[in-house]
Amino acid sequence: MPIEQIDIENFLRLSNESPILDVRSPGEFSHAHIPGAVSLPLFTDEQRKIIGTAYKQQSRQIAVKMGLEYFSERMKLIPEEVEEICKSRQKAKLNGQLKSVSILLHCWRGGMRSGAVAWLLNLYGFKVYTLKGGYKAFRKWALAQFENEYKLNILGGYTGSGKTMLLQEMKKVGNLVIDLEKLANHKGSAFGSLGEEDQPTQEMFENLFATELYKAVESGKDIMTNGEHYTKNSSEIWLEDESRHIGRVGIPNRLWDAMRKSPLYFLDIPFEERLKHVIEIYGRFEKEELEKSILRIQKRLGGLETKKAINFLHENNLHECFSILLKYYDKFYMHSLYKRENLESVLNKISCATVDLNNARTFYNQSA
């Protein structure tokens, strides 16, 4: 079976059935990679550094010889590792023999590393596709996704309105939804990292976001109404109203500008109802973690309000503590809301009495 080199969109389409194997070093992979890829490093970080130094300071030939020496140490192990990867993806074995399996392979530029591993795995019996231009081509493609035009709808509302919960419900009934806070591993406020895994790098966040945009557009071409009376236009992508930065990662400028100009559906929910929801979400965390989060906004919250909030926290008076914080975030969101140049033309208020899943039906009835 010949090794085939394919472009990024065909590469991504095939990834629905076949594993993506990234043969770059562990450090390169850890920094950022194609979403869904599995690390299959040809060289360690140290080996890559040694080869790179030899290439620059000695010669290409010496660097290649070093690479071949390191490669020889990995030749037996790589096919075994790939078999295990395929098994984990439920690529079935038949009578102890692995079925014919296609794999997708790339390195940084589609050069010697992916070429060497592709040769080995093809020799072993895998059908191998390599990515034309490697990860570098993927990055160019990913950044280009943010330059495209999208039909966006933005779900807004004060803190504690249950926006993420509503978006998840909308996704269940067939809407195209991208959960930016899930991609960022952060809920967006000073408390946003609580209970979350470490945030991705900016580059990885962009890779995740770009891939989700692409998937949304592709699925929107084929999606069918599933019978639910509140399923919306399949070409629209729903996002939550966010600040430019979600924790340490930032929404690409072109997309953020587009979000600010898109229709904004504002969940208007009473303060006390939102306060109950916020306490339910954050009240379970340790006081030490909550205090650290409060201190992060001390400068903007003010010394007196910060002191009062922390005192209420240690008195186990979460209602008064979070009431102070929620008033601060309401003011902050209102300021951001009215900075939109075209607010009157994009704002649609949706009134809900409480924070719960029934808001999905209320939302569709009022926004229809």
Side-chain angles (χ1 to χ4, degrees), residues 76 137 141 331 350:
K76 181 177 183 296
W141 172 88
K331 183 178 179 181
I350 309 295

Side-chain angles (χ1 to χ4, degrees), residues 81-109:
E81 291 173 16
V82 174
E83 284 185 324
E84 288 302 315
I85 290 168
C86 291
K87 288 176 190 175
S88 70
R89 288 176 57 95
Q90 298 180 336
K91 298 297 182 181
K93 292 185 72 177
L94 184 62
N95 296 326
Q97 297 296 317
L98 193 66
K99 288 183 178 180
S100 178
V101 173
S102 297
I103 59 170
L104 306 168
L105 202 67
H106 75 85
C107 59
W108 166 238
R109 288 182 295 189

Side-chain angles (χ1 to χ4, degrees), residues 205-330:
F205 174 72
E206 290 168 355
N207 290 351
L208 291 164
F209 192 5
T211 305
E212 288 299 309
L213 284 168
Y214 173 73
K215 287 179 180 177
V217 171
E218 288 296 298
S219 63
K221 293 175 182 177
D222 303 319
I223 197 167
M224 299 293 290
T225 301
N226 63 5
E228 294 286 348
H229 77 276
Y230 47 86
T231 298
K232 288 294 226 180
N233 189 328
S234 63
S235 67
E236 299 171 347
I237 299 174
W238 285 87
L239 301 168
E240 185 172 335
D241 194 20
E242 302 284 358
S243 299
R244 188 184 294 271
H245 288 90
I246 308 173
R248 295 192 306 270
V249 300
I251 298 171
N253 291 339
R254 181 74 178 268
L255 245 295
W256 195 76
D257 289 342
M259 289 171 64
R260 299 286 286 181
K261 296 173 184 176
S262 298
L264 172 65
Y265 294 87
F266 182 92
L267 292 175
D268 191 8
I269 299 175
F271 181 89
E272 285 297 325
E273 293 298 321
R274 292 187 289 109
L275 180 57
K276 285 193 292 186
H277 185 60
V278 167
I279 293 172
E280 184 179 326
I281 293 173
Y282 293 106
R284 60 189 175 88
F285 291 103
E286 297 292 334
K287 289 179 182 177
E288 183 180 350
E289 293 180 295
L290 293 171
E291 183 173 345
K292 286 180 181 178
S293 297
I294 294 170
L295 290 172
R296 289 192 191 104
I297 56 172
Q298 179 177 10
K299 190 172 182 180
R300 287 172 290 172
L301 184 60
L304 180 59
E305 292 298 279
T306 300
K307 184 177 179 180
K308 287 166 62 177
I310 291 175
N311 286 341
F312 282 130
L313 174 65
H314 288 290
E315 292 169 3
N316 293 318
N317 191 341
L318 295 182
H319 184 279
E320 291 303 320
C321 173
F322 281 103
S323 180
I324 291 171
L325 300 172
L326 194 56
K327 287 173 183 176
Y328 160 76
Y329 277 111
D330 281 2

Side-chain angles (χ1 to χ4, degrees), residues 3 11 25 35 53 62 135 193 213 220 231 293 328 349:
I3 298 168
F11 196 83
S25 67
T53 300
I62 291 175
Y135 177 75
S193 62
L213 284 168
T231 298
S293 297
Y328 160 76
K349 282 196 174 184

